[in-house]
Amino acid sequence: MTPTTRPVPQSRHLATSIPGPKSQTLHSKRLQEVTGGFGVTLPVFIDRAEGGILADVDGNRLIDFASGIAVTSVGASNPHVQARVAEQLERFTHTCFMVTEYESFTEVATWLNEHTPGDFEKRTALFSTGSEAVENAVKISRAATGRDKVLVFDDAYHGRTMLTMAMTAKENPYKKSFGPFPSDVHRAPMAAPLRWATGAENATAEALAGVEQTLADHGAENFAAMVIEPIQGEGGLIVPATGFLTGLREIATRHGIVFVIDEIQAGMGRTGALFASEHEGVVGDLILTAKALVGGLPLSAVTGRAELMNAVHTGGLGGTYAGNPLACAAALGVFEAFADGSLLANARRIETTARAVLEPLLAGTAVVVDVRGRGAMLAVEFADQNTLEPLPEIAKAVAAACHEQGVLVLVCGTYGNVIRLLPPLVIGDELLADGLQVLAESILAADREPVAAVVV
Ligand code: PLZ
């Protein structure tokens, strides 16, 4: 496709303070018109986005370490996605797949059936949002098992709809004042290594025992589904202790519970493998994708064992926009972008570069207690190094310092004390190095007891 606009220079540039005057004016207008129920990480209005850069209306160029929360992994104006969507836009924008069909829906399903882990016959259902994929995985699991209950984990995030709010752990902002929630959702321990009371080495065995206990308390035979993120995103970018996911797989199989892997944030190349569950060789009965599946258009998927996916009565699944043709076209563009494996290699390269800059801060500051993650899904956790008392004020100060200097980072975690890095996989080396340098310097500046010996 011939680009109609000039490329966005891949360098950080501050033309004004952040947010600039135009963004400030637009933000005050927004406050007059848009519900106050939406928060915002950084009140900057974007004009163009490409590669690792978000260009704002004031002429600033920010380094993007957020990818719109792990969505624009292939870049926010990827040529494969643009070409496919433009071509589809000319033909038609919508028919509703439940009214008349189009081939791209099947093509997206074929790709997911082929590329998701699991050497068994699969089927795929497409929807629009991640929350919808989670809801539908529960519907399918209930229809297939004839059981009601759903097992989820501490610090989980699965969405903002009624059922997915019940499945999400964090109260504020997600659940506060929105109850009552659907019942039959039970929460079990997550093998989170850093804060496991008896030490990280015991996390897997003790958490699995806790899972068995939760199942026993409510009757394991009543559970339709067990839903887990292979790496927790919103909950604090928690990588489960080794063996936890495989242990859950074994427990689910033993009790006839559908094992659902929520790869909505961690999947589609983010961790350096197409799916994060591949790192531990774990295979879900159902796997959920959204976000980076489409590079920015709304599309989500439930993919899994044919006998489960077909257990639902005809007409039981759907939605007006489920598998919208523009979104399916975008997904096919994303698959093209992933075809040569270079984006997965980029994710692994991003991890190596970032760890080299961030890991020295563990010994070099009094506030960094963990640098963790896989591929381009990385985090720095701030807490008192002796007591592990969370330090959300440090995370907030570091994020504010990064934002001021034109580096967009996200704060996450149950305690709000984790800075999360989710750069587009297409970010260039120089941009990555520049953004990491700003982050490391901001952390050193926020450190309560700076150690002069650390050179970044
Ligand atoms: N499952 C693992 O990460 C969405 C939420 C941002 P939707 N995460 C970003 C916010 O504050 O709303 C997410 C996820 C996992 C499910 C979802 C839900 O996906 O597309 O936002 O519905």
Side-chain angles (χ1 to χ4, degrees):
M1 199 179 75
T2 330
T4 48
T5 40
R6 281 187 304 146
V8 179
Q10 294 296 301
S11 59
R12 182 167 59 105
H13 175 70
L14 296 182
T16 67
S17 58
I18 308 282
K22 286 186 184 159
S23 277
Q24 286 184 34
T25 305
L26 291 170
H27 186 67
S28 20
K29 257 194 217 163
R30 158 203 154 129
L31 294 177
Q32 294 306 310
E33 308 293 347
V34 179
T35 165
F38 277 71
V40 65
T41 301
L42 183 60
V44 152
F45 282 71
I46 300 306
D47 177 42
R48 299 270 319 271
E50 187 177 312
I53 288 289
L54 299 166
D56 77 7
V57 291
D58 288 288
N60 299 298
R61 293 196 302 270
L62 299 119
I63 297 181
D64 183 9
F65 277 176
S67 302
I69 322 192
V71 170
T72 53
S73 295
V74 299
S77 27
N78 183 285
H80 294 283
V81 174
Q82 288 175 325
R84 289 274 193 167
V85 174
E87 189 265 342
Q88 180 59 45
L89 197 53
E90 290 217 333
R91 292 198 296 135
F92 60 94
T93 53
H94 179 80
T95 70
C96 184
F97 195 68
M98 301 180 302
V99 177
T100 54
E101 301 167 299
Y102 39 91
E103 197 182 353
S104 55
F105 193 117
T106 312
E107 288 174 326
V108 172
T110 304
W111 191 94
L112 285 165
N113 293 341
E114 279 172 6
H115 288 81
T116 49
D119 189 15
F120 40 76
E121 197 180 339
K122 295 178 198 141
R123 293 289 186 277
T124 287
L126 300 181
F127 303 99
S128 301
T129 67
S131 306
E132 248 189 307
V134 176
E135 294 247 355
N136 279 282
V138 172
K139 283 167 66 173
I140 292 163
S141 302
R142 285 179 172 166
T145 60
R147 303 170 174 189
D148 300 335
K149 293 187 184 295
V150 178
L151 191 77
V152 293
F153 295 85
D154 286 339
D155 299 308
Y157 183 91
H158 296 294
R160 288 180 185 266
T161 56
M162 279 297 162
L163 175 61
T164 59
M165 266 194 288
M167 296 169 69
T168 289
K170 193 174 177 179
E171 179 69 14
N172 188 4
Y174 306 123
K175 305 167 76 157
K176 189 176 142 184
S177 81
F178 296 141
F181 302 115
S183 56
D184 293 316
V185 175
H186 301 280
R187 201 169 298 285
M190 162 78 185
L194 181 70
R195 289 168 193 283
W196 197 262
T198 58
E201 65 284 8
N202 300 317
T204 293
E206 291 180 14
L208 289 174
V211 170
E212 288 279 22
Q213 189 59 53
T214 309
L215 291 174
D217 288 347
H218 304 282
E221 69 283 5
N222 299 322
F223 281 83
M226 180 188 284
V227 188
I228 181 110
E229 297 157 87
I231 296 180
Q232 291 181 322
E234 308 306 308
L237 214 132
I238 299 167
V239 185
T242 311
F244 185 61
L245 294 174
T246 45
L248 290 180
R249 170 70 272 187
E250 187 277 319
I251 291 173
T253 305
R254 184 152 38 80
H255 294 295
I257 301 169
V258 179
F259 190 47
V260 183
I261 305 189
D262 178 347
E263 294 251 11
I264 288 165
Q265 187 157 149
M268 290 306 297
R270 174 68 29 205
T271 65
L274 262 183
F275 299 98
S277 44
E278 289 175 42
H279 294 290
E280 289 217 37
V282 181
V283 178
D285 299 312
L286 301 179
I287 185 166
L288 313 182
T289 47
K291 291 189 184 265
L293 173 66
V294 213
L297 279 85
L299 186 76
S300 63
V302 182
T303 301
R305 291 183 183 276
E307 66 274 22
L308 300 176
M309 296 296 297
N310 286 337
V312 182
H313 56 280
T314 302
L317 303 178
T320 307
Y321 299 111
N324 168 271
L326 292 172
C328 285
L332 296 176
V334 167
F335 302 155
E336 282 170 8
F338 272 103
D340 69 2
S342 61
L343 288 178
L344 301 183
N346 283 1
R348 297 190 288 266
R349 175 181 55 82
I350 288 168
E351 176 173 357
T352 309
T353 308
R355 282 189 181 275
V357 176
L358 299 175
E359 280 176 352
L361 300 169
L362 280 163
T365 71
V367 294
V368 174
V369 289
D370 208 6
V371 174
R372 60 172 176 261
R374 280 196 215 275
M377 187 171 186
L378 298 164
V380 182
E381 176 156 353
F382 302 97
D384 184 291
Q385 284 179 342
N386 299 316
T387 63
L388 287 185
E389 179 69 27
L391 294 171
E393 63 279 14
I394 299 282
K396 219 173 147 190
V398 170
C402 287
H403 295 167
E404 207 170 275
Q405 295 169 81
V407 179
L408 180 62
V409 295
L410 298 171
V411 171
C412 67
T414 298
Y415 311 108
N417 66 327
V418 177
I419 285 205
R420 171 172 49 157
L421 305 183
L422 300 166
L425 306 183
V426 292
I427 192 169
D429 286 336
E430 275 178 36
L431 214 50
L432 177 65
D434 182 25
L436 288 167
Q437 175 89 6
V438 169
L439 173 62
E441 280 166 8
S442 304
I443 293 172
L444 285 174
D447 185 16
R448 290 180 304 184
E449 299 160 32
V451 178
V454 175
V455 180
V456 290

